[in-house]
Amino acid sequence: MSSENLPTSTGRKPRVAVVFGGRSSEHAISVVTAGAVLRAIDRDKYDVLPIGITTDGRWALTADEPERMAIADRTLPTVADLTGSDEGSVVLSVDPGSREVVYSEPGAVPKALGDVDVVFPMLHGPYGEDGTLQGLLELAGVPYVGAGVLSSAVGQDKEYMKRVFVSFGLPVGPYEVIRPREWEQDPSAARVRIVGFAAEHGWPLFVKPARGGSSMGITKVDDLSGLDAAIEEARRHDPKVIVESLLTGREIECGVLEFEDGPRASVPAWIPPVTDHDFYDFEAKYIDSASGVVPAPITPEQTAEVQRLAVAAFEAASCEGLVRADFFLTDEGEFVINEINTMPGFTPISMYPRMWQESGIAYPELVDRLLQAALRRPTGLR
């Protein structure tokens, strides 16, 4: 962005820094999500400062042009496409007495852009959704939308997420974890353990990055011959791998939103089987526009139960702001929680806003509620 056109705070309205992109493999989906949020923010109520994080970690000012942040002709957008320059960076003060944003370029005097009142972190995956950015914002004393440090980290790590849920009595499916050192030093022992797991729970298995999202790096493995390749594919995204058994049944999702009196659940959605994909993978979610059914075609009793479990998962992980909770409704009629997402997608086809739309909260109001909840919440221990 040209230094002559730097945005400055008006001082009249709360200023929202929408932070997006990032270093994870979900960079492009973060850009798409941020574009939808930028379109929805009420500009009569808030000032907006878009800040993109490039894939190498540079914080950059971007133009406020959400129309350039969508998937076009199956091409995914990046922060680099929006900055127009590989120089210049944004710095947020970590002095809790100051919320000032500063822009600097090589050989130029840094320029103050004014204070930020709240951050909307539209980051998915490591280095943004996992507690790292949240820790920085806590140090800076800046309120932000969504889960705090601990709940962000728990929500990102599928192993510890499941451990927390089990400790609170929530139903989870069978799983095994392959840690980095184990695969690097003794892969044969890991194979033996996974074969034993398959003998108990059956093939196929799902091999996933333990701290990934957007269904990236996941492989459905039908037998031992595909195991090593699936582990290596998962490790391209995360050196820690989680292996889960197949749960037969329907995929049901439920949104949770923080209100003034506490969290409430949306109407649930059903993710029908996708015919051109083995499972609800990245392509099905974001490229081929697979759509869920809202509300889910389940009984009132099942709806009430999945809403109860979704709120219980939100509370178990000490979440704030929002969560999308994903479940399997088994053939036996029992709900099993698969995972929570502490910063679910806000793309035009994303399930979280669709569920709240059906629950009576339109997209712009949903964005506003999240910002207002963040502005009410103190930083620090709470």
Side-chain angles (χ1 to χ4, degrees):
M1 175 175 285
S2 169
S3 60
E4 290 92 20
N5 300 313
L6 294 177
T8 55
S9 175
T10 65
R12 293 190 297 270
K13 296 175 287 190
R15 198 174 198 207
V16 182
V18 178
V19 181
F20 60 95
R23 295 163 56 191
S24 84
S25 55
E26 298 176 77
H27 176 97
I29 294 306
S30 173
V31 176
V32 174
T33 299
V37 169
L38 285 170
R39 282 190 292 271
I41 292 178
D42 184 350
R43 303 311 175 94
D44 293 329
K45 191 171 182 178
Y46 302 99
D47 280 334
V48 177
L49 180 67
I51 299 175
I53 302 178
T54 63
T55 54
D56 61 1
R58 179 173 64 95
W59 289 43
L61 288 179
T62 70
D64 188 2
E65 299 176 352
E67 65 277 2
R68 297 174 56 198
M69 302 166 70
I71 298 173
D73 298 324
R74 302 177 74 88
T75 300
L76 300 173
T78 68
V79 168
D81 298 332
L82 304 169
T83 61
S85 171
D86 58 2
E87 296 185 341
S89 61
V90 175
V91 177
L92 177 66
S93 171
V94 293
D95 178 358
S98 169
R99 296 177 178 177
E100 190 170 68
V101 174
V102 175
Y103 179 78
S104 63
E105 290 180 316
V109 176
K111 298 181 180 182
L113 304 183
D115 290 353
V116 165
D117 297 294
V118 61
V119 170
F120 205 137
M122 302 310 306
L123 293 156
H124 301 306
Y127 312 110
E129 192 183 352
D130 59 351
T132 50
L133 177 66
Q134 289 75 14
L136 173 64
L137 296 174
E138 292 287 352
L139 287 173
V142 179
Y144 54 92
V145 170
V149 176
L150 173 65
S151 47
S152 294
V154 168
Q156 188 66 39
D157 190 311
K158 294 178 176 62
E159 176 193 1
Y160 288 99
M161 181 196 309
K162 292 175 187 294
R163 289 181 182 274
V164 167
F165 290 158
V166 168
S167 72
F168 277 82
L170 296 172
V172 304
Y175 69 95
E176 284 284 350
V177 175
I178 302 174
R179 302 184 185 281
R181 187 180 299 112
E182 179 183 17
W183 186 250
E184 292 158 9
Q185 296 183 357
D186 194 358
S188 61
R191 289 189 203 96
V192 168
R193 189 157 54 83
I194 299 306
V195 168
F197 178 77
E200 181 178 359
H201 299 288
W203 300 92
L205 303 176
F206 288 91
V207 180
K208 305 178 178 182
R211 294 163 291 194
S214 294
S215 297
M216 300 184 79
I218 298 177
T219 305
K220 181 182 178 183
V221 180
D222 293 315
D223 54 44
L224 180 60
S225 65
L227 182 61
D228 279 26
I231 292 172
E232 292 299 339
E233 170 60 20
R235 281 170 53 83
R236 287 200 313 111
H237 301 268
D238 183 356
K240 179 179 174 182
V241 175
I242 190 165
V243 180
E244 297 174 346
S245 65
L246 173 68
L247 293 174
T248 57
R250 288 179 284 174
E251 292 188 49
I252 305 294
E253 297 183 351
C254 190
V256 181
L257 178 64
E258 180 183 348
F259 287 75
E260 290 83 348
D261 60 350
R264 302 180 197 171
S266 70
V267 300
W270 169 50
I271 308 301
V274 287
T275 57
D276 297 332
H277 303 265
D278 274 347
F279 57 96
Y280 194 44
D281 62 5
F282 178 87
E283 291 264 330
K285 283 183 179 179
Y286 299 110
I287 304 298
D288 293 338
S289 302
S291 58
V293 178
V294 187
I298 56 179
T299 68
E301 293 76 16
Q302 289 171 330
T303 294
E305 175 64 3
V306 76
Q307 289 173 326
R308 181 190 72 80
L309 289 170
V311 172
F314 183 98
E315 298 281 36
S318 298
C319 293
E320 295 168 300
L322 72 165
V323 149
R324 192 193 71 230
D326 300 346
F327 297 86
F328 289 102
L329 177 55
T330 68
D331 294 340
E332 293 73 36
E334 302 295 327
F335 282 104
V336 175
I337 186 165
N338 184 37
E339 64 181 26
I340 57 171
N341 193 313
T342 57
M343 187 51 69
F346 272 81
T347 65
I349 62 170
S350 294
M351 297 310 302
Y352 185 85
R354 286 186 58 196
M355 289 186 286
W356 280 109
Q357 175 78 39
E358 187 69 23
S359 303
I361 298 179
Y363 193 91
E365 181 186 352
L366 179 62
V367 170
D368 183 64
R369 282 184 174 274
L370 289 168
L371 288 169
Q372 289 299 314
L375 287 166
R376 288 194 305 269
R377 187 186 312 132
T379 54
L381 297 176
R382 53 190 183 273

